[in-house]
Amino acid sequence: NVLPSMEAAFVDIGRGRNAVLYSGEVDWEAAETGNQPRRIELALKSGDQVLVQVTKDPVGQKGARLTSQVSLPGRFLVYVPGGNMSGISRKLPEGERARLKQILKSTLPDDAGVIVRNAAEGASEEQLIHDVQRLQMQWEEITRQAENGKAPLQLHSEPDLLVKIIRDVFNEDFQQLVVSGDDSLATIKEYLQNVAPDLLERLEEHTSEEDIFDHFRIGDQIVKALDRKVYLPSGGSLVIDRTEAMTVVDVNTG
């Protein structure tokens, strides 16, 4: 359904509740509406098939949030098919940004853009090229499925949480990563072998009989962190209240 008054389209993604695509999230370059104003009813009509990406999971009564400006996250960069802009994280030092810009100039295809993440600091040219090529292949596979498939159809999903954490968080700053469970260890090993073999030596298997969370007292810390009142090392505290519309955080300086 396209609702011009809400500037939104509701899309059937095959999950019962429809997901919502706001006009601000429409890929207007691909919509080919010419010089007309950017109104959702000009870009989409009922019955159209549209390639979308979920940006926010459904919450309560609200369906998932969508965008048709697809982006694929890799270890060092985010690949934006069809984007012509490339951005580099401002948190990186100037010299490093210049180096990365130079590498990307020679490796990027004309019809794609990238957003370089902080993790790319110090990454070699091969690592970056490998990342771009991997994401490019992923995108080609997605478009191939989209052409042959019948909607609603899931074309690609984020890897499981394990791989996501390793991709986004685990880097040279960590001395070791303790893993419990053979399956998890195998998954992480396989991912690191492809992406960052130098980090493999920092993997350590948890062999003790005691549960890994009990051993490192993680359970207690989670309970404390999810409490309504969270005590801070400085002597202050936070009081966190969730309502339908917002989450209120009160800072008590103590």
Side-chain angles (χ1 to χ4, degrees):
N1 301 334
V2 180
L3 301 182
S5 59
M6 276 182 73
E7 290 194 17
F10 287 86
V11 184
D12 172 15
I13 57 170
R15 288 288 171 93
R17 197 182 314 150
N18 287 349
V20 62
L21 174 65
Y22 288 106
S23 65
E25 297 291 345
V26 171
D27 185 352
W28 290 102
E29 309 255 313
E32 294 173 0
T33 51
N35 293 329
Q36 295 170 291
R38 293 184 163 184
R39 295 218 304 274
I40 191 112
E41 64 270 29
L42 298 174
L44 296 166
K45 58 185 188 300
S46 192
D48 282 354
Q49 286 195 19
V50 59
L51 180 69
V52 288
Q53 179 173 27
V54 176
T55 54
K56 197 174 176 191
D57 287 332
V59 178
Q61 296 302 309
K62 291 179 179 159
R65 280 280 294 269
L66 303 176
T67 177
S68 58
Q69 302 160 7
V70 176
S71 57
L72 299 171
R75 185 166 172 83
F76 301 114
L77 41 87
V78 178
Y79 183 78
V80 187
N84 44 15
M85 286 281 294
S86 287
I88 296 178
S89 167
R90 293 214 172 275
K91 289 181 183 166
L92 294 173
E94 204 46 58
E96 183 64 0
R97 293 183 60 183
R99 179 184 80 90
L100 292 167
K101 208 172 264 177
Q102 207 46 52
I103 295 174
L104 291 174
K105 222 179 219 164
S106 54
T107 56
L108 261 189
D110 298 335
D111 59 348
V114 292
I115 300 155
V116 180
R117 312 167 61 155
N118 294 335
E121 186 169 3
S124 70
E125 187 165 348
E126 286 98 65
Q127 285 176 309
L128 291 168
I129 293 172
H130 181 233
D131 222 17
V132 171
Q133 286 171 344
R134 213 164 47 92
L135 294 169
Q136 219 176 330
M137 277 160 57
Q138 230 176 52
W139 174 242
E140 281 162 12
E141 176 59 22
I142 289 171
T143 43
R144 189 186 62 70
Q145 285 184 41
E147 281 160 16
N148 304 331
K150 186 171 177 356
L153 176 71
Q154 179 178 303
L155 304 170
H156 176 75
S157 72
E158 272 282 77
D160 68 5
L161 192 60
L162 208 54
V163 172
K164 209 170 155 184
I165 290 171
I166 302 301
R167 182 189 73 201
D168 294 349
V169 182
F170 187 50
N171 59 20
E172 288 74 19
D173 299 346
F174 288 84
Q175 288 172 358
Q176 60 173 186
L177 175 69
V178 185
V179 185
S180 169
D182 298 342
D183 293 352
S184 304
L185 194 64
T187 306
I188 294 172
K189 264 190 182 153
E190 188 186 352
Y191 180 74
L192 285 178
Q193 263 156 357
N194 289 331
V195 179
D198 49 318
L199 291 174
L200 278 168
E201 60 194 32
R202 305 188 189 207
L203 274 188
E204 189 179 306
E205 187 176 3
H206 180 73
T207 48
S208 151
E209 286 294 298
E210 190 185 6
D211 180 79
I212 188 168
F213 269 34
D214 293 344
H215 183 76
F216 291 102
R217 309 199 35 195
I218 307 280
D220 303 350
Q221 293 173 49
I222 291 175
V223 168
K224 280 181 184 166
L226 294 178
D227 228 4
R228 178 172 174 264
K229 193 165 189 177
V230 179
Y231 292 93
L232 304 174
S234 59
S237 61
L238 303 177
V239 179
I240 302 166
D241 279 316
R242 285 197 167 158
T243 69
E244 182 89 2
M246 59 184 150
T247 300
V248 186
V249 180
D250 179 32
V251 183
N252 293 332
T253 55

